[in-house]
Amino acid sequence: MRHLLGFASGLLFGLGLVLSGMANPAKVLNFLDIVGPWDPSLGFVMGGALLVTFLGYRLVWRKSAPVFSDRFDLPSSTQIDRPLVLGAALFGIGWGIGGFCPGPAWVALPLLAPGAIVFLPMMLIGLWLGEKGKNLSTLSPKGTP
């Protein structure tokens, strides 16, 4: 049942990305280009996502555990450190250059979007390099070996 619900959730999320235009890099880049042909419509998509997330968390936190698990899997750190800021910056730069973030890129792949065919392998290489780079002293938070 858990896998079926995961599949249904992913399908609904992917459909929402396509219908909202998030899988179209031109629309995303027009949203990010505030001095050019700015398209504010994705702001409404993101605002709707924030509202649903806000309400969803309020409902979920009333439960002692998730439906299909014995506990919530929450991050152990709430600290804003160098790797978090660097990762966020790289994510934003990649989003601005490619017009994709990971979810919409995977959704655009079966649509054979040329950008996704190039973006996804590069994203996977970047994820691999990022994992390798965690061991570099410049990426490690202060005090971490």
Side-chain angles (χ1 to χ4, degrees):
M1 183 62 150
R2 181 177 182 182
H3 295 295
L4 181 63
L5 288 175
F7 177 79
S9 297
L11 188 62
L12 182 63
F13 182 70
L15 183 61
L17 289 173
V18 170
L19 291 175
S20 69
M22 291 286 292
N24 179 357
K27 187 167 184 73
V28 172
L29 292 173
N30 284 341
F31 171 72
L32 296 173
D33 186 5
I34 58 173
V35 294
W38 186 57
D39 180 0
S41 62
L42 290 185
F44 294 105
V45 172
M46 292 178 197
L50 282 172
L51 179 64
V52 168
T53 300
F54 177 81
L55 295 174
Y57 269 97
R58 295 302 168 272
L59 293 172
V60 167
W61 289 134
R62 292 180 181 177
K63 299 188 170 288
S64 60
V67 175
F68 292 108
S69 184
D70 55 343
R71 63 180 176 85
F72 288 107
D73 188 18
L74 301 172
S76 57
S77 174
T78 59
Q79 185 178 8
I80 297 175
D81 56 8
R82 191 177 323 151
L84 177 67
V85 173
L86 183 60
L90 287 172
F91 177 89
I93 290 167
W95 192 36
I97 291 172
F100 283 117
C101 63
W106 284 109
V107 169
L109 186 62
L111 303 173
L112 298 178
I117 294 168
V118 173
F119 179 86
L120 274 170
M122 296 300 111
M123 179 188 75
L124 294 173
I125 291 169
L127 286 167
W128 180 79
L129 287 172
E131 188 62 34
K132 296 294 179 195
K134 281 183 181 179
N135 297 328
L136 297 175
S137 62
T138 56
L139 296 179
S140 298
K142 249 184 174 172
T144 304

